[in-house]
Amino acid sequence: MKIIKLNAIDSTNTYLKNLGRETRPEDGLVVVANAQTNGRGQIGASWQSVKGKSLTFSVFKRFSSLPVAHHASVLFTTAIAIKEALEALQIDDVAIKWPNDILAGGKKCCGILIENQLQHETIATAIVGVGLNVNETEFNALPQATSLRLASGRVFELDRVLYHVSEILLKHLSAIEELSSEVIKTRYEASLFKKGVVSTFETPESDRFSGIIRGVKSNGELIVEKEQDVFETFEVKQLKLLY
Ligand code: BTN
């Protein structure tokens, strides 16, 4: 595994994006930062991490002919891989909260930010950014956040967690083009938090409603049953699942 270790950078995703413009990074390159000064989250949010306690890293992945229509396979696969990696560390009750938060004991311990670079109708490369809370013991303003330490009562060595998670992530990302997108989607759905149970959702207009998660579409949209046999699908920006 080739790893670039940085002391501080704005964002490991941005670093890899710039590197990809200037050079030809090798498939599977991992960039990890001790500290990010402008960590980026989903939908324009920021991502906070604690130096020496959190892991912030990004993986550069090349694909040979992955159709753009299969973009959600990268997201699904990343979530599946991280769940598997955390379970192998004996973290209990790991689940995927749509679209790609990883929960331990019902609280978020990991966020994922994927940025694809397209070429014609294919995804040429993807930058898969992972923010993993490892040894934090408090999240003052974030009651729904947790860390591997809080979830397990154990202290982890950051480097070991980095190698372990990256290895499993790269193994799964390398298999994407060999698997059918339907198989990947089914595996993702099997780990989906609150699937099949009545949950509360919130729209960007702050309207709340109840519904049941039934699965996802192949493009990543969430399928919610709002009333019996009345289904609606939502894009990421259209819906928030409340805990
Ligand atoms: C989320 O909002 O849940 C996604 C958070 C993703 C954070 C990671 S940390 C490493 C990489 N670099 C970034 O700027 N963001 C991702």
Side-chain angles (χ1 to χ4, degrees):
M1 195 186 299
K2 186 163 180 208
I3 301 192
I4 297 177
K5 291 188 174 183
L6 304 168
N7 190 31
I9 192 78
D10 50 356
S11 148
T12 52
N13 266 39
T14 310
Y15 177 88
L16 269 180
K17 215 191 275 185
N18 292 335
L19 199 68
R21 286 195 195 113
E22 294 153 12
T23 64
R24 197 177 185 284
E26 74 179 70
D27 179 39
L29 174 65
V30 177
V31 174
V32 61
N34 246 336
Q36 288 191 135
T37 52
N38 189 21
R40 295 188 287 116
Q42 291 164 40
I43 335 179
S46 64
W47 181 258
Q48 306 299 330
S49 51
V50 184
K51 202 172 170 180
K53 294 197 171 173
S54 328
L55 269 179
T56 50
F57 66 97
S58 304
V59 169
F60 190 87
K61 182 67 201 157
R62 291 186 179 281
F63 298 105
S64 53
S65 57
L66 185 66
V68 172
H70 291 191
H71 66 94
S73 290
V74 183
L75 181 152
F76 294 160
T77 299
T78 301
I80 293 166
I82 292 180
K83 176 172 183 278
E84 181 183 309
L86 299 191
E87 284 171 345
L89 293 173
Q90 265 119 42
I91 305 295
D92 292 334
D93 192 16
V94 183
I96 301 167
K97 180 168 177 275
W98 179 81
N100 52 5
D101 290 347
I102 309 297
L103 309 184
K107 291 185 170 190
K108 179 166 173 174
C109 64
C110 178
I112 298 163
L113 179 67
I114 297 173
E115 296 179 290
N116 294 321
Q117 291 73 45
L118 311 182
Q119 219 164 58
H120 311 297
E121 289 302 299
T122 66
I123 299 172
T125 60
I127 294 165
V128 178
V130 179
L132 180 60
N133 302 331
V134 182
N135 285 326
E136 293 92 331
T137 48
E138 46 198 43
F139 293 94
N140 292 333
L142 298 168
Q144 301 301 344
T146 192
S147 66
L148 302 189
R149 178 171 178 178
L150 286 173
S152 68
R154 285 174 285 134
V155 177
F156 294 83
E157 218 180 286
L158 281 184
D159 257 356
R160 286 183 66 169
V161 177
L162 170 69
Y163 293 120
H164 167 76
V165 175
S166 307
E167 198 180 338
I168 293 178
L169 179 56
L170 283 168
K171 181 187 81 182
H172 278 264
L173 290 173
S174 297
I176 288 184
E177 289 183 276
E178 291 151 27
L179 295 170
S180 86
S181 51
E182 196 55 35
V183 165
I184 295 174
K185 182 173 93 75
T186 306
R187 284 188 191 164
Y188 173 88
E189 287 176 323
S191 299
L192 212 43
F193 179 63
K194 295 258 172 103
K195 182 165 169 247
V197 291
V198 178
S199 311
T200 307
F201 300 89
E202 192 175 81
T203 66
E205 295 75 37
S206 301
D207 292 330
R208 290 190 177 187
F209 66 90
S210 297
I212 302 173
I213 293 177
R214 291 301 182 195
V216 285
K217 286 177 51 180
S218 57
N219 65 2
E221 288 178 9
L222 190 71
I223 304 169
V224 178
E225 187 172 1
K226 290 181 91 173
E227 288 165 42
Q228 204 172 355
D229 293 330
V230 179
F231 298 90
E232 208 172 311
T233 59
F234 296 90
E235 289 173 27
V236 177
K237 286 181 193 147
Q238 294 176 315
L239 197 68
K240 198 159 89 185
L241 163 63
L242 301 180
Y243 284 84

